[in-house]
Amino acid sequence: KRESFTDLTYVGVALNYSFVLPYFLSMFSMVVMFLATGATSLERVLDFITGEVPQEPPWTLPTDAARINVGTKHEHGNKNDADVWPREGKLVVKHASMRYRPGLPLALTDVSFEIAGGEKIGVVGRTGAGKSSLVALLFRIVDAEPLSPTHTKRRDGDGDGDDLSGKLLLDGVD
């Protein structure tokens, strides 16, 4: 078979490159990765400079001022039961919908239920039924979606004036 190769130096060069080529390909992929990382970092810096970074909602709301000192001891050393919140632990969810970010479809649509204080519940369902989305909504990891204009005509009939938006109420406080 040795006679079939006209020049053995070509065979040596081919074998040499076959061992070195994977090394250079891995180096090339590392350079591409570093360039992509650098471009992403630059893009994030530019987003911070231009102010286009979406802001999280504030940690406290103006309506929280009434509950700042809730549960603190008074001058007599006892807690005033009227100041303790939550009192019962009753959770009411009315017409709540949520999506993980703008442009995505609703993960939960028009969810309503009540849980009495001290009641133990379980959430079961198939894959993709919304169990994790419900927990994200309850812990306010993701905020409830305001109702669309097509749903503004809906009335829940209880006369409490909250017919136009989804609510999560803990002892009557949103």
Side-chain angles (χ1 to χ4, degrees):
K1 297 285 183 182
R2 192 170 178 185
E3 295 81 28
S4 63
F5 296 108
T6 56
D7 193 1
L8 289 179
T9 56
Y10 292 129
V11 174
V13 169
L15 282 174
N16 187 25
Y17 279 122
S18 68
F19 292 129
V20 176
L21 185 65
Y23 171 76
F24 283 114
L25 288 177
S26 68
M27 286 293 123
F28 177 74
S29 66
M30 283 180 54
V31 167
V32 169
M33 180 194 63
F34 287 137
L35 287 174
T37 303
T40 302
S41 299
L42 179 62
E43 183 180 8
R44 288 182 182 172
V45 168
L46 292 175
D47 284 343
F48 284 127
I49 291 172
T50 60
E52 295 177 9
V53 178
Q55 296 297 313
E56 294 180 359
W59 185 257
T60 59
L61 299 174
T63 56
D64 295 340
R67 293 186 297 273
I68 288 176
N69 295 322
V70 169
T72 58
K73 290 192 175 188
H74 295 282
E75 59 272 358
H76 302 294
N78 297 329
K79 289 183 181 177
N80 185 352
D81 288 338
D83 288 343
V84 177
W85 179 85
R87 286 186 275 313
E88 300 172 18
K90 179 180 179 183
L91 176 67
V92 178
V93 177
K94 292 182 180 181
H95 307 296
S97 298
M98 69 150 275
R99 71 179 79 229
Y100 284 100
R101 67 174 180 261
L104 290 179
L106 290 172
L108 294 175
T109 306
D110 198 21
V111 176
S112 297
F113 60 88
E114 290 187 23
I115 302 172
E119 185 176 14
K120 293 181 173 94
I121 62 152
V123 180
V124 286
R126 296 178 59 118
T127 302
K131 303 176 295 292
S132 299
S133 298
L134 181 63
V135 171
L137 180 67
L138 290 177
F139 284 112
R140 300 228 172 180
I141 296 170
V142 179
D143 287 329
E145 182 83 9
L147 291 177
S148 67
T150 58
H151 290 93
T152 56
K153 301 257 188 239
R154 182 184 56 223
R155 302 276 181 219
D156 58 9
D158 59 6
D160 59 1
D162 67 349
D163 300 322
L164 300 180
S165 64
K167 299 275 185 187
L168 278 79
L169 304 168
L170 183 59
D171 282 348
V173 178
D174 189 10

